[in-house]
Amino acid sequence: MLYYDHLIKNLTPQANEKVVEVEESDIVKAIQTPRPPLPTKPPTVLGSAETVDSRYTTPDMVEDVLNTINRIVDEIYERDPEQLKYVKRLAEMRNLDTQPLLDNHCFHCISPSYLELLYADLRLFRKDYHVSTSENTLWKGRFITPIRDFTGKVYGFVGYDKFSQAKYVEYSSPVYKKATIKAFELDHAREVLESRYCILTEGNFDYFRGRQNGLSIVANLGIRFNPLLKPLLDRLDVVFTAYDNDETGRKNIDTIGSLHPNVYHIRFNEVKRKGKVVKGDLDEVLKDPDKALHLKKEIKKRLNFKGCKLPHITI
């Protein structure tokens, strides 16, 4: 659940190498979410909708919200089979493999009332769920990607809208706000550790494109890299960054560079698409099989020569 009591204990051994037992203390302490404090006053009930102050979130409320949002994700395709067609169309338009999107139960939410009507039996009008509130832009015409913890359970969402001023919007539930780490790939942390490296990026489509190309990748959601991921980085031989060359991206690069001794930055050239020059990013670059292969070779080279400082990567 939200409280990360699962930790990967073993790394896959390399040739002539013993299995490494990972101490639980450092990683668990750094990335587990503490249980919220017990309330000093009860939530108030106003009419038919319950209004909850996030400062008074009880453990029972946390459990209730988590069970509800996991039911939403688990049952979305059963309750609305049209979602399968939509996800497949979106994957085709972006030239992505459909299966990872379907495995994660991504879906399109056309409006706040969509979920409220589809899940009328779950009483989603409750404000502490932050699902069907008109003030929450997450649910207004966005492509929704569930965010999972180390056990694979959903504890939040991120919504994408290409045409919105804010392309990415995160779930605003008090439960999600209390989570110390918000990132894609936590449920595949074992694979990241076994690969001995990780690419750190931002967006969900960068993440899915990387997964499609067999790369070890973590997308830290939000505008600032979370230093609490350091215990995970400490278990890796090499770390790569793949951020935009803007102020936020440069700050993330500086932060990560201070957290690990072997950090390489992946820099992107401009890319031509349908006769137009567009900004290069991981999603765009990996659409080209030759560039994807080139990146894999550069990653392997830096893993093999981890004791030597090689140039950063430009593709």
Side-chain angles (χ1 to χ4, degrees):
M1 300 303 292
L2 183 61
Y3 315 115
Y4 301 125
D5 48 17
H6 279 249
L7 173 68
I8 298 168
K9 299 251 185 189
N10 300 318
L11 303 180
T12 298
Q14 305 301 313
N16 302 319
E17 186 179 21
K18 294 181 179 180
V19 173
V20 179
E21 292 291 338
V22 180
E23 290 294 333
E24 183 172 336
S25 56
D26 290 343
I27 296 182
V28 169
K29 287 179 181 177
I31 58 183
Q32 74 177 6
T33 303
R35 290 185 179 273
L38 292 174
T40 56
K41 68 176 183 180
T44 57
V45 179
L46 301 177
S48 60
E50 298 176 19
T51 303
V52 179
D53 188 325
S54 61
R55 293 175 299 172
Y56 307 108
T57 308
T58 67
D60 287 343
M61 186 188 302
V62 169
E63 195 73 17
D64 192 18
V65 173
L66 288 173
N67 288 337
T68 299
I69 62 177
N70 275 274
R71 279 196 62 185
I72 289 174
V73 173
D74 291 344
E75 300 173 11
I76 186 69
Y77 297 155
E78 179 182 348
R79 296 198 184 210
D80 184 5
E82 290 298 311
Q83 288 288 348
L84 294 168
K85 297 178 182 179
Y86 175 82
V87 173
K88 290 176 181 177
R89 285 198 303 270
L90 181 136
E92 290 172 0
M93 287 191 300
R94 299 193 65 99
N95 195 27
L96 281 169
D97 286 345
T98 305
Q99 201 55 49
L101 302 179
L102 294 177
D103 289 344
N104 203 26
H105 284 218
C106 298
F107 62 94
H108 180 233
C109 188
I110 57 177
S111 70
S113 60
Y114 167 77
L115 286 179
E116 186 171 336
L117 292 172
L118 192 63
Y119 292 89
D121 55 311
L122 298 186
R123 297 171 59 240
L124 298 186
F125 57 79
R126 284 179 50 172
K127 291 188 177 180
D128 52 308
Y129 289 162
H130 285 241
V131 172
S132 58
T133 56
S134 59
E135 299 86 2
N136 194 338
T137 60
L138 171 65
W139 310 108
K140 296 179 179 178
R142 293 182 180 273
F143 181 73
I144 306 296
T145 303
I147 304 170
R148 300 176 184 273
D149 67 16
F150 288 109
T151 71
K153 295 294 185 180
V154 176
Y155 68 97
F157 304 93
V158 62
Y160 172 80
D161 180 5
K162 179 180 180 180
F163 302 104
S164 174
Q165 185 175 358
K167 287 187 177 181
Y168 291 97
V169 175
E170 293 180 78
Y171 186 47
S172 62
S173 165
V175 173
Y176 180 67
K177 287 180 177 179
K178 288 178 183 292
T180 54
I181 291 186
K182 304 172 178 67
F184 288 130
E185 190 70 351
L186 295 184
D187 51 325
H188 296 285
R190 180 184 295 276
E191 298 171 27
V192 173
L193 291 172
E194 290 173 351
S195 73
R196 299 161 44 221
Y197 79 92
C198 178
I199 298 175
L200 297 169
T201 187
E202 283 182 320
N204 58 345
F205 289 112
D206 293 326
Y207 166 75
F208 284 118
R209 184 77 59 190
R211 291 278 299 171
Q212 177 173 316
N213 282 274
L215 297 173
S216 176
I217 186 167
V218 169
N220 62 280
L221 305 171
I223 61 173
R224 185 176 64 87
F225 177 78
N226 193 332
L228 290 177
L229 282 168
K230 185 181 186 305
L232 179 63
L233 304 187
D234 288 343
R235 304 294 174 181
L236 304 175
D237 290 345
V238 185
V239 175
F240 299 88
T241 67
Y243 293 105
D244 291 339
N245 187 28
D246 53 19
E247 183 179 356
T248 300
R250 289 190 293 271
K251 286 182 179 178
N252 284 335
I253 287 172
D254 290 342
T255 299
I256 295 164
S258 68
L259 297 177
H260 196 280
N262 295 313
V263 177
Y264 291 96
H265 309 313
I266 303 171
R267 295 161 177 162
F268 303 102
N269 296 317
E270 292 181 330
V271 178
K272 286 187 177 181
R273 285 279 176 260
K274 298 180 180 179
K276 295 182 179 180
V277 177
V278 298
K279 181 183 69 173
D281 59 22
L282 193 63
D283 183 28
E284 282 293 332
V285 164
L286 292 180
K287 292 176 183 177
D288 185 329
D290 292 335
K291 291 181 178 178
L293 181 59
H294 173 70
L295 178 58
K296 289 180 181 179
K297 289 181 178 179
E298 292 298 316
I299 289 173
K300 185 176 181 180
K301 185 188 302 182
R302 283 154 182 79
L303 282 170
N304 291 338
F305 296 94
K306 64 178 182 178
C308 305
K309 192 60 179 177
L310 301 179
H312 296 294
I313 301 171
T314 301
I315 52 177

